[in-house]
Amino acid sequence: FWLKRLACRQWAQTPDLFFAVLRLSPHLPAMMRRGALCMSLVGVASGKIYFSETFGDGWESRWTPSKWKESEGTAGKWVASAGKWFSDEVEDKGIQTSEDSKFFGLSAGFESFSNEGKELIIQYQAKYEKDVECGGGYVKIGPKMSDATTFGDPTGYNIMFGPDKCGYTKRTHLIFNYKGKNVLKKSDLAYKQEGEGTSHLYRLVVKPDNTVVVEIDEEKIYEGSLKEDWEMLAAKEISDPDDKKT
């Protein structure tokens, strides 16, 4: 897995912590190479970056690896590497999952913010160096944790975004937490993480009018409404003219 850039420009519930998580099953060397993670508020003319990461020197001091699966012996280890293919070995160096059939996760924090009237952008770049049988390489944004080493699947979040595949089921996940419930999109977003060794750029834009844009490799694969395409609101009751009291 290779995380290149992430930018977030406002989300209504003022998250306090950014999560980058990798959940991998058999046979997926994954890389985050020169990953840039940034949180920013964007108004009409300017934006503020809340978090940025290039995975250069000292990245270990900025990120906390997950120990969620350590007691089971299935927690994987992150390593610094430029991977098999690179243009500049120093410039392209990042962090990489080093073992098959393991679970990987790590997290880093940022200051709380509000997205009222502004956009939230999440952007990152990922690369698989060989095909994945079952697993995913996605990011999560959520509330601050009291102990970041416990970060794992049970950890609450506001947004989850990125590719996920298991067997013939494959999609780009986009999940929003609404009133304590993780709400999946009604129909799956296209899975574009094909081609071993090729990096892909993922971008999510959440706008203040509650519309969403998803791009992969600068190609728009979705634009629509949270209200229409996620079941966040209770279904309206419609009177049945044939329903009569007896």
Side-chain angles (χ1 to χ4, degrees):
F1 181 75
W2 179 48
L3 185 59
K4 180 64 175 178
R5 184 187 303 176
L6 178 133
C8 298
R9 303 177 182 179
Q10 283 203 312
W11 172 238
Q13 299 303 318
T14 64
D16 297 314
L17 195 68
F18 167 73
F19 303 137
V21 62
L22 208 56
R23 177 173 160 271
L24 306 175
S25 284
H27 315 312
L28 178 58
M31 288 197 63
M32 295 187 199
R33 190 196 300 164
R34 296 296 297 173
L37 308 178
C38 44
M39 293 290 179
S40 60
L41 296 177
V42 177
V44 175
S46 63
K48 178 179 179 181
I49 295 175
Y50 277 83
F51 187 83
S52 181
E53 177 63 79
T54 60
F55 293 104
D57 292 343
W59 69 269
E60 300 97 329
S61 66
R62 298 185 292 271
W63 290 82
T64 301
S66 171
K67 296 183 179 180
W68 172 50
K69 290 290 185 177
E70 194 172 79
S71 63
E72 301 175 13
T74 56
K77 182 180 179 181
W78 298 92
V79 297
S81 173
K84 294 180 180 178
W85 303 283
F86 51 83
S87 175
D88 184 303
E89 187 171 4
V90 175
E91 180 66 21
D92 292 343
K93 184 175 288 187
I95 57 173
Q96 181 182 37
T97 59
S98 62
E99 305 166 271
D100 291 342
S101 305
K102 300 289 185 179
F103 289 83
F104 297 82
L106 75 169
S107 62
F110 58 88
E111 64 180 283
S112 179
F113 64 87
S114 171
N115 71 314
E116 184 177 358
K118 299 182 181 181
E119 291 183 343
L120 164 68
I121 295 179
I122 301 173
Q123 181 172 294
Y124 72 102
Q125 195 163 339
K127 182 178 76 170
Y128 293 172
E129 293 201 328
K130 60 181 179 180
D131 195 18
V132 54
E133 294 176 10
C134 189
Y138 38 75
V139 295
K140 292 182 177 180
I141 299 172
K144 187 175 182 178
M145 297 178 291
S146 58
D147 182 1
T149 64
T150 64
F151 176 47
D153 276 358
T155 304
Y157 59 86
N158 296 100
I159 300 175
M160 172 175 154
F161 174 52
D164 191 70
K165 176 184 177 182
C166 196
Y168 292 104
T169 302
K170 49 187 178 180
R171 57 191 166 184
T172 298
H173 262 312
L174 180 52
I175 304 174
F176 295 94
N177 185 282
Y178 183 70
K179 294 185 177 180
K181 180 181 178 181
N182 293 332
V183 184
L184 279 72
K185 190 174 179 296
K186 293 178 182 178
S187 59
D188 290 340
L189 294 171
Y191 182 84
K192 297 287 188 177
Q193 195 64 40
E194 306 285 7
E196 294 115 19
T198 302
S199 61
H200 298 278
L201 180 65
Y202 291 84
R203 175 183 287 181
L204 166 66
V205 182
V206 182
K207 299 184 178 182
D209 62 357
N210 290 325
T211 59
V212 175
V213 177
V214 177
E215 297 178 359
I216 301 178
D217 297 332
E218 299 184 295
E219 174 189 355
K220 185 187 297 181
I221 67 165
Y222 169 78
E223 182 172 12
S225 167
L226 282 167
K227 180 180 177 181
E228 299 297 329
D229 294 334
W230 282 261
E231 292 182 351
M232 293 187 176
L233 303 178
K236 294 182 179 179
E237 294 185 3
I238 302 175
S239 299
D240 184 352
D242 297 323
D243 186 13
K244 299 179 179 179
K245 293 183 179 180
T246 58

